[in-house]
Amino acid sequence: MEIKYMKLLNDNLSVTAPNTGIKEAVSPISVEEIIALENKYNGGRLFPAALRELLFLAGGDCYVLDYGINDTQEQMQESSRRFMTIGGRNRVISRPFYVIDVYNAGDQFLFVYLDEGKDDPDVYEALIGYRLNDWIHLVKSPLSALIDGRIKRFLSGGNPF
């Protein structure tokens, strides 16, 4: 797969934290796994190119994203969708979307819409426990800028999150 949007991630697949000396590395998922995810969450249509690259490079593990306690990308998608409805929550995202980061015990997640028509989509945050009218908001545009910014923070000794 040609890497066009996730170049900084591709150049930093394995890094050492400058302040602790701890080594971090990403792990990929296969193209076959990406295709299965596209079939399930995007009706068989290709994901935006930047998302495909992110999954190809770091869909198994990524030091600048938190996949929560989930073992697989599919588990992360399913648990995030389930969390929107449990405990009396009636949260619905009516457009096709893909979760890229989960935090606060699943109460919040970052995601991209799959129908924006952009190869490098915007990143949104879902705040499940917040008021109904403002529980989704734009975090960063585009996805590659979010990943690049987190990598740069990590490489300068900061917390990427």
Side-chain angles (χ1 to χ4, degrees):
M1 175 178 298
E2 178 188 355
I3 304 301
K4 180 177 177 184
Y5 298 98
M6 297 291 155
K7 290 185 183 288
L8 188 60
L9 180 61
N10 193 42
D11 291 342
N12 291 280
L13 298 175
S14 179
V15 296
T16 302
N19 53 345
T20 64
I22 296 173
K23 294 183 186 273
E24 297 282 354
V26 299
S27 64
I29 62 173
S30 69
V31 172
E32 292 76 23
E33 289 173 274
I34 295 168
I35 291 168
L37 292 166
E38 289 169 331
N39 287 332
K40 185 163 188 176
Y41 299 106
N42 203 27
R45 292 177 300 279
L46 295 178
F47 286 154
L51 177 58
R52 290 187 109 233
E53 291 175 18
L54 175 63
L55 295 172
F56 180 74
L57 296 171
D61 192 34
C62 186
Y63 57 90
V64 297
L65 294 173
D66 187 352
Y67 297 151
I69 61 170
N70 304 289
D71 292 328
T72 67
Q73 286 288 322
E74 184 171 3
Q75 287 173 340
M76 182 171 63
Q77 302 310 306
E78 293 302 314
S79 66
S80 296
R81 285 163 170 77
R82 188 172 45 255
F83 201 86
M84 293 187 336
T85 62
I86 62 173
R89 296 180 179 110
N90 292 318
R91 303 291 191 207
V92 175
I93 299 175
S94 58
R95 297 168 56 190
F97 70 98
Y98 194 87
V99 176
I100 61 165
D101 186 283
V102 178
Y103 52 100
N104 199 22
D107 192 41
Q108 297 169 287
F109 58 83
L110 298 180
F111 69 96
V112 296
Y113 286 114
L114 300 173
D115 62 354
E116 283 188 331
K118 298 178 180 178
D119 284 337
D120 196 1
D122 298 333
V123 178
Y124 294 85
E125 180 177 43
L127 305 169
I128 307 298
Y130 287 69
R131 294 183 304 262
L132 186 60
N133 292 336
D134 61 356
W135 68 283
I136 293 177
H137 65 274
L138 178 67
V139 172
K140 191 72 168 177
S141 177
L143 173 59
S144 62
L146 175 85
I147 301 302
D148 287 357
R150 287 183 170 193
I151 291 169
K152 289 173 184 173
R153 272 196 310 272
F154 182 82
L155 293 175
S156 68
N159 182 335
F161 304 101

